[in-house]
Amino acid sequence: MNNTDKIRVRFAPSPTGNLHIGGVRTAIFNWLFAKANNGTFILRIEDTDQNRYDKDSEDSIISSLNWLGIKWDEGPIRQSEKQEDYIKVAKELIDAGWAYYDDTTSEELEELRKQQIREKRPPRYDNRGRYKEITHEQYNANNSTLNPIVIRFKVPDSGAKPFYDEIRGNVSFDLKEIDDFVILKSDGMPTYHLAHVVDDHEMKISHIIRGEEWISSTPRHVLIHDALDWNLPKYVHVPLILGKDKSKLSKRHGAESALEYKEKGYLPEALLNFLALLGWSPGDNKEIMNLSEIIEKFTIKRILGHPAVFDPEKLEWMNGSYIRNLNDEELSKYILNEINKDIKSGGLLSDSVDSNILISKISSITPLIKERLKTFSESSYLVEYFFYDNFKIEKEKLLPKKVESFQIIEGLKKLIELIIKIEEFEPENLEVQFRKLAEDLNLKAGQLFFPIRIALTGRKESPPLFDTMKVIGRESSIKRLDNAINILN
């Protein structure tokens, strides 16, 4: 591959809000394509709309990419710092007869829109500015907030503007459907149509990988390339992401911003894996893939042409799979970090706990809850009863079917006696002794173990009973069983 064929791609978010899932997926596709082809991935901040620019949004975008492990080779490059480049190109287009100054007022444009609606015509600019012939000198002298003058591109009145999309093949638009569009606003800042074309040319972008919502705008971009006699990049318009009801993806479908997933206890590797499979196929049915596998298999040819469906349950399942692949030491650190959060943020510990005791206890708990964790935000709930005795239990929950309360009371009392006497407080020994006690009481093991589980954890479902008891400890186990007896009495 020679230098002219080198893969150069960019992710160009607008810092006007949180980085949504569609944007994250676009970044991932660009980055994977660069990594798979030894290419260059560029981060470009499209901040020419200074009225809507949000510094927090830009920081959030950069934090999101860093969290996901998406490292850029060049950038971040900010369009607001390149204003003179866009003005220069816009004036070149005027000199070449491809653009013109337009001082049509917003009131005139609004009246035009209302008239077209009354006449049941589609609202659009009528190209009236073409005939005013405003010069550079007049523009420089008269352009102001009171008399705003923009620059519009002059679209041919007829014909078609075809282009090739790497996913959809040949695409063509009738030029009669495209009005003269603004390329430079009156404040001297470019619109997206001009800015990204100039930047992509200067940065030698080889492939533009973006959402398919930009397909209808692409003829405008091709027109600008043609007018400037610039080579076209390759266009790759990736499919939309829909909710499970096949409507446009939104928060009601469970979609969050990248950093919200971080806060909810998702692993970045899981989110990246999940999003890579939204609109791309690795060519087999494998779903859990490490980064090296994804990069090895990633090609544009395997990007799908139909919309992808966002399934939050699948993401949760995938995250759980990644959690179970962590070793216990790594997982303990994540759990410890979660329960140490402020209680309002989902943490657990209201009182300070000796750090050494806490680390030791979490290390013991981790293997017990590992199979049950789907996100780290569940940690506090899953470990709560290992730390606190004062949870509420309803009497009915302590009674299995076909067993009288006096039988359970007798069983729990004998259990306490047994726990006090037993020397080896280990899961295997506890199970043997408890099963023998159930036989002596003429109860099935499950009939005795069920109320024990409720008494010790307050829940019908928990990790293996005797491993749980070992972590809770002899003293707390006795205290909880005694509390259950009081409730039954």
Side-chain angles (χ1 to χ4, degrees):
M1 180 180 287
N2 59 45
N3 288 337
T4 57
D5 293 327
K6 183 170 173 59
I7 298 299
R8 288 177 61 84
V9 294
R10 49 50 166 196
F11 175 54
S14 176
T16 55
N18 285 334
L19 184 56
H20 58 81
I21 284 301
V24 178
R25 196 268 309 262
T26 298
I28 289 171
F29 278 13
N30 277 280
W31 182 67
L32 290 174
F33 183 58
K35 297 282 282 185
N37 292 279
N38 195 29
T40 301
F41 175 69
I42 302 167
L43 174 61
R44 188 170 76 212
I45 304 297
E46 301 203 335
D47 59 347
T48 56
D49 189 346
Q50 288 293 295
N51 290 327
R52 297 177 61 216
Y53 171 77
D54 181 358
K55 177 65 166 62
D56 290 340
S57 173
E58 181 178 325
D59 293 343
S60 172
I61 289 166
I62 290 173
S63 297
S64 299
L65 297 179
N66 281 327
W67 176 62
L68 287 164
I70 298 175
K71 304 298 181 186
W72 48 91
D73 304 298
E74 296 177 16
I77 297 164
R78 293 173 179 81
Q79 288 184 328
S80 60
E81 298 170 359
K82 302 172 74 267
Q83 184 177 8
E84 292 305 315
D85 293 354
Y86 310 125
I87 293 173
K88 178 175 175 288
V89 172
K91 289 185 174 180
E92 286 176 5
L93 288 168
I94 289 178
D95 292 338
W98 280 108
Y100 57 87
Y101 292 114
D102 177 33
D103 63 358
T104 306
T105 66
S106 57
E107 291 79 13
E108 289 173 322
L109 291 172
E110 178 61 20
E111 182 52 42
L112 172 63
R113 188 186 70 84
K114 289 178 179 177
Q115 181 183 340
Q116 289 169 332
I117 291 174
R118 285 194 298 269
E119 295 172 358
K120 296 183 178 178
R121 291 186 290 146
R124 53 178 288 167
Y125 181 63
D126 60 2
N127 303 344
R128 64 180 66 181
R130 286 188 185 187
Y131 314 107
K132 296 181 181 180
E133 298 184 354
I134 299 170
T135 65
H136 292 317
E137 292 74 24
Q138 289 172 320
Y139 168 78
N140 292 334
N142 298 321
N143 182 40
S144 67
T145 53
L146 295 175
N147 183 45
I149 301 174
V150 301
I151 297 179
R152 290 183 182 270
F153 188 89
K154 189 185 293 182
V155 179
D157 293 324
S158 61
K161 182 46 61 181
F163 64 91
Y164 186 81
D165 182 83
E166 298 295 313
I167 296 175
R168 291 159 182 79
N170 291 312
V171 181
S172 184
F173 285 82
D174 188 342
L175 292 177
K176 287 189 293 186
E177 301 301 319
I178 304 173
D179 55 4
D180 290 356
F181 55 94
V182 176
I183 56 173
L184 198 77
K185 294 174 285 187
S186 60
D187 63 0
M189 280 295 187
T191 61
Y192 171 79
H193 301 306
L194 177 67
H196 93 274
V197 169
V198 173
D199 288 341
D200 289 342
H201 174 73
E202 290 180 353
M203 295 174 187
K204 297 181 172 58
I205 298 300
S206 63
H207 295 70
I208 295 179
I209 304 174
R210 61 187 179 188
E212 68 174 28
E213 64 269 20
W214 291 106
I215 287 180
S216 60
S217 295
T218 305
R220 295 174 173 82
H221 310 154
V222 176
L223 284 167
I224 296 174
H225 278 92
D226 290 350
L228 294 166
D229 197 25
W230 290 348
N231 292 331
L232 284 176
K234 292 184 177 180
Y235 290 104
V236 185
H237 289 99
V238 299
L240 295 174
I241 303 176
L242 304 178
K244 291 178 79 173
D245 60 359
K246 303 301 171 68
S247 64
K248 186 178 178 181
L249 185 66
S250 67
K251 276 206 169 189
R252 67 187 174 86
H253 296 109
E256 309 278 358
S257 71
L259 294 183
E260 285 174 314
Y261 281 110
K262 179 183 179 182
E263 285 300 310
K264 287 193 169 187
Y266 285 80
L267 284 164
E269 300 85 353
L271 184 60
L272 193 149
N273 187 166
F274 174 77
L275 292 178
L277 293 172
L278 277 185
W280 170 77
S281 169
D284 53 34
N285 293 323
K286 191 170 184 181
E287 293 188 309
I288 305 293
M289 294 183 289
N290 63 39
L291 182 57
S292 297
E293 289 178 287
I294 297 173
I295 291 170
E296 183 182 345
K297 294 180 179 180
F298 193 87
T299 68
I300 283 175
K301 290 180 181 178
R302 287 182 176 157
I303 295 177
L304 307 175
H306 56 77
V309 175
F310 182 89
D311 184 348
E313 288 82 15
K314 184 175 180 180
L315 171 57
E316 196 174 72
W317 163 80
M318 189 172 282
N319 195 63
S321 296
Y322 271 86
I323 285 174
R324 286 186 286 280
N325 282 333
L326 295 172
N327 63 49
D328 288 353
E329 187 178 352
E330 285 180 292
L331 181 52
S332 291
K333 291 176 183 176
Y334 278 107
I335 296 170
L336 195 60
N337 179 64
E338 192 67 31
I339 69 169
N340 269 324
K341 286 181 179 178
D342 183 88
I343 287 180
K344 291 180 180 178
S345 302
L348 175 66
L349 305 174
S350 57
D351 304 313
S352 59
V353 180
D354 182 277
S355 59
N356 291 326
I357 295 174
L358 182 59
I359 291 168
S360 174
K361 193 161 189 174
I362 290 298
S363 296
S364 301
I365 295 169
T366 295
L368 303 184
I369 67 169
K370 190 171 188 175
E371 293 298 316
R372 303 172 66 81
L373 267 177
K374 296 187 288 294
T375 68
F376 294 123
S377 60
E378 299 171 321
S379 300
S380 292
Y381 172 77
L382 290 176
V383 307
E384 185 177 20
Y385 53 80
F386 288 104
F387 288 88
Y388 297 115
D389 298 325
N390 57 343
F391 47 80
K392 293 182 179 179
I393 301 174
E394 295 173 18
K395 181 176 180 178
E396 293 73 20
K397 288 186 177 180
L398 287 165
L399 290 172
K401 292 179 180 178
K402 300 179 181 177
V403 181
E404 298 296 329
S405 60
F406 74 87
Q407 293 176 282
I408 300 302
I409 292 170
E410 183 186 3
L412 295 180
K413 285 181 177 179
K414 290 187 178 296
L415 278 173
I416 292 174
E417 293 173 10
L418 195 155
I419 291 171
I420 292 170
K421 293 177 184 177
I422 200 167
E423 292 184 10
E424 292 184 44
F425 200 74
E426 296 295 331
E428 299 80 6
N429 192 32
L430 288 169
E431 183 172 3
V432 170
Q433 298 283 350
F434 281 32
R435 286 187 182 278
K436 183 176 183 302
L437 177 61
E439 273 184 47
D440 294 344
L441 294 170
N442 200 25
L443 290 172
K444 294 178 181 176
Q447 290 175 319
L448 181 60
F449 293 176
F450 177 80
I452 298 173
R453 186 183 301 277
I454 297 293
L456 294 177
T457 69
R459 300 173 191 175
K460 293 181 179 178
E461 295 179 353
S462 69
L465 176 59
F466 302 104
D467 294 283
T468 299
M469 185 177 287
K470 168 73 185 296
V471 176
I472 289 171
R474 191 190 303 260
E475 187 179 331
S476 278
S477 295
I478 293 170
K479 182 177 179 181
R480 295 179 189 194
L481 292 170
D482 193 46
N483 179 55
I485 292 169
N486 291 334
I487 291 170
L488 287 169
N489 278 328

